[in-house]
């Protein structure tokens, strides 16, 4: 996930066919004349498409046209001007006006009061030949003639200085049989073109589109329509199973947020490449009403797990920054942005909610949730734990860009720690979800907060002690009080622990894509049990004690079934092993269950001697029965 913002007023789409808007644009008296932009997907040349822009009235003699240097949610430099070529400006008679390129992302147009239109070609980012131009794919653009067009609109359309708040009419000319997947509602649509109306550049940039022959599924969650759209060149990944897979997590999020969602329409735009992209990364980029995914083909169970976790995170951005955001986000500067210091809120709390909702709504067990928390703790050790989170956030584009990944690790732990502290101070009655609801009512989509005032406002809404929490652990350099926090809810936390566990052999597992089996990949760390059983490199794990082993249940078999066996009891693995002629044969490998010492880091487990107060607070935090000690 890498990872924003305005509210789309669906009900205000004008009932006008803007595709055929005349050159002399007419609007209702008192309303702003819009930009009129056309992206032509039918005439691809050298992997580029033409953009034509009819500007709103220009009142000054010179005007600067900008393409974004950075866009919300990416926290890195994009320089979309790199992908623009042959930018030309014309007056009404078709005469060229003088254009001066100021830098990578800005063009000055002379005699701008006479400006009638500009045209330029846009190249995509997916297959850029220069390593330094490679962008994280979910925040980039794709142009594949007759196949797929991923239109992150900020990669195709810019704005004039001081005219970001002017409306846009976006026209997309599309190939025959193509469908535009987007959270937007078209004001006009035909077999060859779609037209959309947007209230500002921020709204335009916040609404991506994906055009290809459709593979879509629609889910209805109360009053919210959720579109799942997939482009998979191989055809092996389709939208319906993904929609079925994410439906329960989205329903859980709706319940978690009080039963209703603050959006009418949401879109998951999912691109599944056959091979890794040039960035070498996979993940997603969130927007207020949609999210764009770039995920590899993988075993079905693994893909399901990945899409659920990533989708849960991205979908929760309908809370923040849609309903809660700072001035820096609400009026984003695409050329010289000032970063908010509250990434703990935008990404950290969002990631915390994405995992917490699953245990709170009983989609996963408490033990499974604690394993997710353990992963946050473990991964956060790769970052500077003494760097104040607000300082990192405000300077994430500069010296702290390598610390950004911690927003999904320590950021989630800040959310967890704050949630439990709020529950403690309120005797379980008020938590982080309540705080987010209060902040949304205090600010909302149209009123940004001031960065320097947020902590004081949260303190006013909650408890005086919360100001000290932020001062010490978010603005300050103190490590989070994890052991103390978990103790409050009857959970034992040990940074380092040695336990006896039943060994699976100690080999490094691999995956055979053709047979969809886990394999013995590397024997370098084989232990005495692995030698006793007789594993060999290349063995395909088929079953343990007769139970089939799959990529989807391997963790359950090793972590639960194997651990439930008594040391010294008999055990049998069925493996597939190639004989001398290369033919795969089934073999039974038998031995005795062997317990070996394993050093575990960041152990989390329910305390068997938890007090009544700890159990009550845990029950409020995890939505479980207060008498719960452990789960089957």
């Amino acid at each position: 996930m890498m990872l924003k913002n305005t509210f789309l007023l669906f009900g205000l789409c004008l009932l006008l066919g803007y595709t055929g808007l005349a050159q002399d644009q007419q609007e209702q008296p008192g309303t702003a004349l819009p930009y009129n932009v056309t992206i032509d997907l039918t005439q691809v040349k050298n992997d580029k498409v033409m953009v034509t822009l009819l500007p709103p009235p220009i009142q000054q003699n010179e005007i600067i046209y900008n393409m974004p240097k950075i866009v919300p949610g990416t926290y890195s430099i994009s320089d979309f001007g790199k992908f623009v070529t042959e930018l030309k400006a014309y007056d009404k008679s078709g005469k060229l006006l003088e254009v001066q390129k100021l830098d990578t992302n800005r063009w000055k147009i002379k005699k701008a009061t006479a400006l009638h239109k500009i045209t330029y070609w846009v190249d995509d980012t997916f297959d850029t030949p220069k390593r330094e131009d490679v962008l994280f794919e979910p925040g980039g653009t794709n142009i594949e003639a007759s196949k797929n067009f991923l239109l992150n609109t900020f990669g195709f359309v810019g704005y004039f200085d001081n005219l970001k708040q002017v409306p846009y009419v976006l026209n997309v000319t599309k190939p025959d049989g193509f469908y535009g997947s987007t959270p937007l509602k078209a004001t006009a649509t035909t077999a060859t073109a779609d037209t959309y109306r947007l209230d500002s550049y921020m709204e335009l940039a916040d609404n991506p589109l994906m055009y290809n022959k459709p593979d879509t599924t629609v889910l209805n969650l109360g009053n919210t329509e959720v579109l799942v759209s997939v482009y998979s060149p191989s055809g092996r990944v389709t939208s319906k199973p993904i929609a079925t897979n994410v439906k329960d997590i989205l329903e859980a999020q709706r319940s978690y947020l009080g039963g209703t969602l603050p959006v009418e329409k949401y879109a998951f735009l999912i691109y599944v490449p056959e091979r890794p992209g040039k960035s070498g990364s996979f993940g997603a980029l969130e927007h207020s009403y949609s999210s764009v995914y770039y995920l590899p083909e993988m075993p079905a169970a693994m893909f399901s797990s990945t899409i659920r976790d990533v989708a849960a995170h991205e979908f929760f951005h309908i809370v923040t920054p849609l309903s809660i955001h700072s001035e820096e986000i609400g009026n984003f500067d695409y050329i010289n942005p000032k970063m908010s210091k509250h990434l703990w809120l935008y990404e950290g709390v969002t990631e915390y909610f994405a995992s917490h909702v699953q245990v709170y709504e009983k989609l996963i067990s408490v033990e499974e949730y604690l394993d997710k928390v353990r992963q946050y703790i473990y991964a956060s050790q790769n970052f500077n734990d003494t760097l104040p989170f607000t300082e990192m956030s405000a300077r994430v584009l500069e010296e702290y860009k390598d610390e950004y990944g911690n927003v999904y690790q320590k950021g989630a732990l800040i959310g967890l720690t704050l949630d439990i502290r709020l529950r403690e101070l309120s005797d379980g009655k008020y938590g982080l979800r309540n705080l987010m609801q209060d902040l949304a009512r205090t600010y909302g989509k149209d009123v940004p907060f001031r960065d320097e005032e947020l902590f004081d406002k949260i303190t006013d809404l909650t408890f005086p002690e919360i100001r000290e929490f932020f001062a010490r652990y978010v603005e300050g350099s103190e490590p989070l009080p994890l052991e103390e926090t978990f103790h409050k809810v009857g959970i034992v936390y040990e940074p380092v622990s040695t336990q006896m566990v039943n060994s699976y052999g100690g080999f490094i597992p691999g995956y055979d894509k053709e047979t969809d089996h886990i394999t013995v990949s590397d024997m370098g760390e084989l232990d005495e049990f692995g030698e006793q059983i007789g594993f060999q490199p290349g063995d395909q794990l088929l079953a343990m004690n007769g139970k089939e082993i799959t990529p989807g249940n391997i963790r359950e078999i090793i972590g639960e079934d194997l651990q439930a066996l008594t040391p010294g009891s008999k055990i049998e693995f069925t493996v597939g092993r190639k004989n001398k002629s290369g033919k795969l044969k089934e073999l039974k490998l038998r031995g005795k269950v062997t317990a070996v010492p394993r050093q575990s880091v960041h152990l989390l487990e329910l305390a068997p001697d938890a007090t009544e107060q700890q159990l009550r607070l845990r029950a409020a935090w995890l939505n479980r029965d207060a008498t719960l000690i452990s789960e089957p």
Side-chain angles (χ1 to χ4, degrees):
M1 297 161 297
M2 290 191 49
L3 320 27
K4 274 185 176 156
N5 307 347
T6 50
F7 195 96
L8 176 56
L9 301 177
F10 292 106
L12 297 183
C13 293
L14 299 186
L15 301 177
L16 297 175
Y18 282 104
T19 304
L21 203 71
Q23 291 184 356
D24 293 318
Q25 302 173 41
Q26 300 292 323
E27 287 254 328
Q28 295 290 331
T31 63
L33 287 167
Y35 293 82
N36 191 282
V37 183
T38 298
I39 303 175
D40 189 350
L41 307 182
T42 65
Q43 302 295 323
V44 178
K45 295 183 179 179
N46 298 321
D47 211 28
K48 301 177 182 179
V49 297
M50 170 70 78
V51 175
T52 301
L53 183 147
L54 307 182
I58 305 298
Q59 305 298 330
Q60 62 243 50
N61 194 47
E62 295 182 341
I63 193 76
I64 293 175
Y65 185 69
N66 305 275
M67 290 295 290
K69 176 180 180 179
I70 185 173
V71 294
T74 56
Y75 307 105
S76 60
I77 303 299
S78 296
D79 280 336
F80 282 104
K82 289 181 179 179
F83 305 96
V84 170
T85 54
E86 299 182 56
L87 189 146
K88 298 177 182 179
Y90 301 86
D91 66 13
K92 275 192 176 182
S93 66
K95 181 180 177 182
L96 284 169
L97 301 177
E98 182 181 348
V99 176
Q100 177 187 357
K101 188 168 186 179
L102 300 178
D103 54 35
T104 301
N105 301 297
R106 300 185 303 148
W107 293 259
K108 181 187 288 186
I109 299 173
K110 307 290 184 67
K111 297 183 180 179
T113 54
L115 178 63
H116 172 62
K117 74 174 179 181
I118 64 173
T119 64
Y120 51 87
W121 291 91
V122 176
D123 202 349
D124 68 343
T125 69
F126 272 27
D127 58 4
T128 178
K130 297 181 180 179
R131 178 63 195 168
E132 63 269 24
D133 293 346
V134 171
L135 302 181
F136 179 54
E137 281 81 4
T141 59
N142 187 49
I143 299 171
E144 291 178 87
S146 304
K147 294 181 180 178
N148 171 272
F149 299 89
L150 178 59
L151 308 182
N152 268 309
T153 44
F154 44 68
F156 292 87
V157 184
Y159 60 92
F160 291 108
D161 276 359
N162 303 315
L163 293 174
K164 279 192 302 186
Q165 301 294 344
V166 173
Y168 278 72
V169 172
L170 174 65
N171 310 292
V172 181
T173 306
K174 60 188 178 183
D176 183 52
F178 272 40
Y179 174 76
S181 297
T182 177
L184 297 171
K185 289 185 177 180
T187 59
T189 186
T190 69
T192 58
D194 298 322
T195 301
Y196 308 93
R197 167 84 183 206
L198 302 109
D199 288 342
S200 66
Y201 185 77
M202 284 76 74
E203 189 173 340
L204 173 75
D206 195 33
N207 285 282
L209 308 95
M210 187 168 73
Y211 276 81
N212 48 257
K213 291 186 176 179
D215 173 13
T216 60
T217 300
V218 174
L219 299 171
N220 291 298
L221 306 176
N223 296 323
T224 301
E225 178 184 287
V226 177
L227 171 69
V228 178
S229 178
V230 172
Y231 176 69
S232 171
S234 72
R236 288 189 285 266
V237 180
T238 57
S239 65
K240 189 172 182 178
I242 292 176
T244 300
N245 177 46
V246 300
K247 184 176 182 179
D248 63 344
I249 187 70
L250 299 183
E251 287 283 15
Q253 287 175 292
R254 181 162 72 105
S255 172
Y256 192 79
L257 293 174
T260 59
L261 297 170
V263 295
E264 294 180 22
K265 184 178 179 182
Y266 191 91
F268 291 97
L269 309 181
I270 304 170
Y271 188 108
V272 185
E274 293 183 272
R275 59 188 63 86
K278 292 198 171 185
S279 75
S281 300
F282 294 103
L285 178 67
E286 83 281 358
H287 299 267
S288 296
Y289 302 91
S290 62
S291 40
V292 178
Y293 299 77
Y294 189 82
L295 296 173
E297 291 187 358
M298 60 183 86
M302 193 181 302
F303 193 93
S304 294
S305 175
T306 300
I307 194 72
R308 282 168 64 90
D309 286 346
V310 179
H313 176 101
E314 307 307 340
F315 192 70
F316 260 125
H317 278 292
I318 62 175
V319 177
T320 175
L322 174 58
S323 299
I324 309 166
H325 57 264
S326 68
E327 293 172 331
E328 289 80 3
I329 297 296
N331 187 25
F332 193 79
D333 187 336
Y334 296 86
I335 298 296
N336 295 300
K338 179 184 177 184
M339 304 308 294
S340 170
K341 65 181 182 180
H342 294 295
L343 276 176
W344 71 272
L345 173 68
Y346 300 132
E347 298 297 346
V349 169
T350 299
E351 177 61 21
Y352 169 65
F353 279 166
S355 57
H356 185 253
V357 66
Q358 297 182 54
V359 67
Y360 194 88
E361 297 295 335
K362 299 181 174 63
L363 297 181
I364 61 175
S365 69
V366 172
E367 283 78 8
E368 287 176 296
Y369 175 64
L370 293 181
D371 188 52
K372 288 178 179 287
V373 173
R374 178 182 175 275
Q375 292 173 39
Y376 291 141
I377 301 172
Y378 184 80
S380 70
Q381 306 305 301
N382 296 317
F383 301 95
N384 182 355
D385 195 35
T386 62
L387 174 64
F389 224 73
T390 50
E391 183 179 344
M392 181 275 288
S393 180
R395 296 157 69 184
V396 71
L397 297 181
E398 302 151 1
E399 63 263 46
Y400 297 135
K401 60 183 179 181
D402 291 339
E403 294 290 322
Y404 170 74
N406 210 13
V407 299
Y408 304 108
Q409 315 304 334
K410 185 175 180 178
L413 296 172
I414 290 173
L416 180 152
T417 311
L418 177 59
D419 194 8
I420 293 176
R421 182 63 171 141
L422 289 169
R423 292 285 182 186
E424 178 191 25
L425 292 169
S426 65
D427 194 26
K429 297 180 178 64
Y430 189 97
L432 190 53
R433 285 186 307 141
N434 306 96
L435 172 60
M436 292 299 106
Q437 291 166 353
D438 285 347
L439 285 173
R441 283 190 286 266
T442 301
Y443 297 105
K445 61 185 179 61
D446 296 322
V447 181
F449 61 77
R450 296 183 63 184
D451 240 35
E452 62 274 16
E453 294 179 354
L454 181 63
F455 291 142
D456 290 333
K457 174 56 68 175
I458 290 175
T459 302
D460 290 342
L461 291 171
T462 58
F463 307 94
E465 295 88 343
I466 293 301
R467 191 64 188 86
E468 180 188 3
F469 174 92
F470 287 122
R472 294 175 64 182
Y473 306 121
V474 185
E475 294 174 295
S477 59
E478 289 188 47
L480 289 169
L482 294 180
E483 189 170 353
E484 172 189 336
T485 297
F486 287 120
H487 178 74
K488 294 173 184 177
V489 289
I491 292 173
V492 176
Y493 169 58
E494 295 183 35
V496 179
S497 174
T498 299
Q499 296 178 303
M500 296 300 293
V501 300
N502 291 338
S503 172
Y504 68 89
F507 58 83
I508 296 175
Y511 172 67
D512 187 322
K513 187 175 182 179
E514 291 185 7
T515 62
D516 193 31
H517 285 138
I518 300 297
T519 65
V520 176
S521 176
D522 192 308
M523 304 274 284
E525 298 183 17
L526 204 67
D527 60 24
E528 64 174 288
F529 174 71
E531 293 177 356
Q532 172 202 142
I533 282 287
F535 289 122
Q536 291 186 14
D539 281 353
Q540 297 189 2
L541 303 186
L542 305 180
M544 186 190 82
N545 286 351
K547 183 175 181 178
E548 182 185 8
I549 296 175
T550 70
N553 71 4
I554 182 67
R555 291 184 64 183
E556 174 191 337
I557 286 179
I558 300 301
E560 299 178 21
D561 296 356
L562 176 59
Q563 301 312 313
L565 299 176
T566 303
S569 62
K570 294 180 180 179
I571 188 171
E572 176 185 272
F573 280 92
T574 305
V575 301
R577 182 179 296 172
K578 290 182 180 179
N579 58 22
K580 291 182 179 180
S581 61
K583 190 173 182 179
L584 204 65
K585 293 286 188 179
E586 285 193 11
L587 293 176
K588 306 290 186 182
L589 305 180
R590 298 180 177 90
K592 292 185 178 181
V593 177
T594 303
V596 296
R598 284 275 193 273
Q599 189 177 78
S600 299
V601 293
H602 308 301
L603 174 71
L604 289 169
E605 59 184 14
L606 300 179
D609 57 350
T611 66
E612 182 180 343
Q613 181 180 359
Q614 289 172 321
L615 290 173
R616 191 168 58 249
L617 194 58
R618 184 202 299 168
W621 175 46
L622 299 179
N623 191 26
R624 290 300 199 278
D625 191 310
T627 62
L628 174 70
I629 297 297
S630 63
E631 291 196 344

